[in-house]
Amino acid sequence: MKKIIFALLALSGLAANQSTAQRICGSADHYQEMMLTNPAFKANQQLIEQQTQDYIAHPEKKLRTLKTIPVVVHVVYNTAAQNVSDAQIQSQLDVLNKDYRKLNSDWTGTPSVFQSLVADCEIEFCLAKQDPSGAATTGIVRKSTTTASFGTNDAVKKNAQGGDNAWDASKYLNLWVCNLSGGVLGYAQFPGGPAATDGVVITYTGFGTTGTATAPFHLGRTATHEVGHWLNLYHIWGDDGTACTGSDLVGDTPNQADENYGCPTFPAVSCSNGPNGDMFMNYMDYSDDACMYMFSAGQKARMDALFASGGARASLLTSLGCTIPNGTTCGVPTSVSAGTITSTSATITWAAVTGAGSYNVQYKLSSATTWTNTTSSTTSKVLTGLTANSSYDVQVQAVCTSGSSAFSSSISFTTAAVGGGCSNNYEANNSTSTATVIATNTSVTSMIATNGDKDYYKIVTTTSAPKLKVTLGTLPFDYDLKLYNSSGTLLATSQNGGTTSESITYNSATAGLTYYIYVYGYNGAYSPSQCYTLSTLTSATNLKLEQTNEAVSKPEIMIYPNPANDKVGIQFYAISNQDVVLNMYSALGQKIKSQ
């Protein structure tokens, strides 16, 4: 996917091109939308700011205690990749705890002129051990959804709209992980808003430091930034669109013109703030994860005010969310995994829990709401009678003499297709020179067995039926499809999200020529136990075109935000790595930018 961000200069009609992979935070737009549409929120903002300024003006009120915030993570996933692991969730909690306690080693990279301002915010975060009803919990809720992606309209926070309802916001920080659309990395609700939507949303590719976390937003700083908004911090430049008149309401952060992207070089001077320039390494700027690593003392004071008497987040200090419920001393099973998967069975294993005499295992189709329960006296259980080519969720609970633990977080697996004997049939077909020859109008099964495995197939069209259609189905994970001619030129690509089947229709195929079909896992996806099916079809007449993958179709274009008064982002999908010209016109038809 190609992405170009244009900064529009309203007076001159000119635009400047920024680099790719830039941070996009939806909190400011979400804040403005609530200010316009929610009178109670607008009134609360004035009261919260009055309380904040009063707290800052009276040093005797300042807190000297450590604040611990219980966190519940709602994982709302449409594909297996979006269902981030427990380890990835823990990596994000680790980052929050380091960043808000000044325990991150990279803070020493702060320029010497700013180092005296770097603050230990004295805030820590724990995954909840007790849910709102008082029962034991892992602090992780997993919710399968049919919604492919979410925007910043809070749908991910509502069961009725494909998301997951918030826990009591007076006792927990609700943190949702999902697939956010429009290139947005995350957004937060500032204090003073409705409890039902209070919390932080992070896209699954900008969450934590492992798994799906993708550079340059792979160090967990998106959550650090968005939790900062949840704790009443504004963007460091004041969201004034380069006017140098905005403010983040913090006295020790220099006035700066606009957000910084990437990794700026010190000093980065704007708004006549030389010689030291912008505090671009501050978590509330837009720098890449590796180049933001500090909060200032003034920002700490704003956050502290929320927990003082009368503060908007003070109730969190008395929450029992981080306390293990009485009588529950049995640990929650970890390292739950599925293996030896066939079309009708799977073996579930987990790590032993000290003191556990047995284990309860519950499983269900991912699309179902009712669990099937079984037990095991060991650390494994073979599930039988499963439906072929179907996604299942599994949880495990430890049973001790003192009581049962909470169920573990769900893990998911997909059963094999009917037919059995699934294997990596055509290795080593990892290049065009070793491509497997397949006949027209047939189907073959094979697997992408390892990270980086590539499957190439070779097909020769006939004189009587030169038109070609290739379909990739029964996908265990997000696999994609490409078609090349005999000289290696890319002709078409099919890259649907998730386990949606892929299809390429190529009506320009020449009779009697060789074509190469390339099957691969998106972002390293693979399965050592589950096969895909590749089918070919030829025709004497033109085949019906697929909307999303015909080689000559126009690439999808997304423009956001729309309308815009400062910046506009343009995303488009290119068929191959080729030059593309984008022309931008004013409403009067005048060309104002050609990129």
Side-chain angles (χ1 to χ4, degrees), residues 432 435-443 456-462 465-471 482-486 509-518 534-538:
T432 54
T436 299
V437 178
I438 57 174
T440 58
N441 303 306
T442 60
S443 295
Y456 282 88
Y457 300 90
K458 182 165 63 174
I459 188 171
V460 180
T461 57
T462 64
K467 315 299 183 181
L468 176 62
K469 181 175 183 178
V470 183
T471 303
K482 292 180 184 289
L483 180 69
Y484 297 85
N485 65 15
S486 57
T510 303
L513 288 189
T514 297
Y515 293 90
Y516 292 100
I517 302 165
Y518 173 33
L534 180 69
S535 304
T536 62
L537 173 67
T538 58

Side-chain angles (χ1 to χ4, degrees), residues 109 235 302 309 546 564:
H235 287 141
R302 283 189 67 83
S309 177
E546 302 290 339

Side-chain angles (χ1 to χ4, degrees), residues 160-184:
Q161 297 184 36
D164 193 56
N165 287 347
W167 287 12
D168 185 347
S170 69
K171 298 178 180 179
Y172 303 88
L173 161 57
N174 288 275
L175 201 165
W176 287 269
V177 183
C178 65
N179 182 28
L180 280 174
S181 61
V184 175

Side-chain angles (χ1 to χ4, degrees), residues 270-576:
S270 68
C271 293
S272 302
N273 61 11
N276 300 327
D278 299 351
M279 192 184 280
F280 57 79
M281 70 295 308
N282 192 284
Y283 292 124
M284 302 314 294
D285 206 332
Y286 269 12
S287 303
D288 289 349
D289 277 18
C291 303
M292 54 163 57
Y293 29 76
M294 57 88 71
F295 287 115
S296 75
Q299 289 172 319
K300 175 187 177 180
R302 283 189 67 83
M303 291 187 277
D304 277 349
L306 294 173
F307 299 96
S309 177
R313 303 283 188 207
S315 63
L316 290 165
L317 299 183
T318 58
S319 171
L320 297 177
C322 291
T323 305
I324 298 174
N326 292 332
T328 303
T329 59
C330 201
V332 177
T334 59
S335 304
V336 182
S337 63
T340 317
I341 301 170
T342 70
S343 59
T344 59
S345 66
T347 300
I348 310 302
T349 60
W350 55 91
V353 174
T354 301
S358 62
Y359 299 89
N360 295 326
V361 180
Q362 62 179 19
Y363 63 99
K364 67 178 181 67
L365 286 165
S366 297
S367 58
T369 57
T370 303
W371 296 91
T372 298
N373 297 285
T374 185
T375 61
S376 174
S377 59
T378 67
T379 56
S380 67
K381 182 68 179 182
V382 178
L383 306 181
T384 59
L386 306 180
T387 302
N389 196 31
S390 299
S391 175
Y392 281 85
D393 297 334
V394 181
Q395 296 179 327
V396 182
Q397 178 187 52
V399 180
C400 300
T401 56
S402 57
S404 301
S405 74
F407 274 99
S408 67
S409 298
S410 294
I411 62 110
S412 299
F413 66 90
T414 302
T415 53
V418 174
C422 182
S423 62
N424 205 10
N425 292 312
Y426 303 107
E427 288 298 315
N429 59 338
N430 296 320
S431 65
T432 54
S433 61
T434 58
T436 299
V437 178
I438 57 174
T440 58
N441 303 306
T442 60
S443 295
V444 298
T445 59
S446 189
M447 66 169 62
I448 300 173
T450 61
N451 185 1
D453 186 11
K454 304 173 182 179
D455 288 355
Y456 282 88
Y457 300 90
K458 182 165 63 174
I459 188 171
V460 180
T461 57
T462 64
T463 303
S464 59
K467 315 299 183 181
L468 176 62
K469 181 175 183 178
V470 183
T471 303
L472 184 65
T474 61
L475 307 182
F477 293 108
D478 191 355
Y479 293 172
D480 294 325
L481 187 65
K482 292 180 184 289
L483 180 69
Y484 297 85
N485 65 15
S486 57
S487 62
T489 301
L490 179 64
L491 302 174
T493 300
S494 180
Q495 294 178 321
N496 295 320
T499 56
T500 304
S501 64
E502 309 289 348
S503 181
I504 291 174
T505 302
Y506 192 63
N507 286 325
S508 300
T510 303
L513 288 189
T514 297
Y515 293 90
Y516 292 100
I517 302 165
Y518 173 33
V519 179
Y520 60 99
Y522 172 72
N523 202 24
Y526 69 95
S527 171
S529 60
Q530 301 168 75
C531 280
Y532 61 80
T533 301
L534 180 69
S535 304
T536 62
L537 173 67
T538 58
S539 173
T541 58
N542 282 348
L543 295 159
K544 181 180 179 181
L545 302 182
E546 302 290 339
Q547 182 178 0
T548 59
N549 53 38
E550 167 61 20
V552 297
S553 67
K554 295 180 180 179
E556 179 182 353
I557 295 178
M558 180 186 298
I559 301 175
Y560 59 90
N562 187 11
N565 57 17
D566 181 22
K567 292 182 175 62
V568 60
I570 299 175
Q571 293 182 178
F572 63 93
Y573 290 84
I575 294 172
S576 61

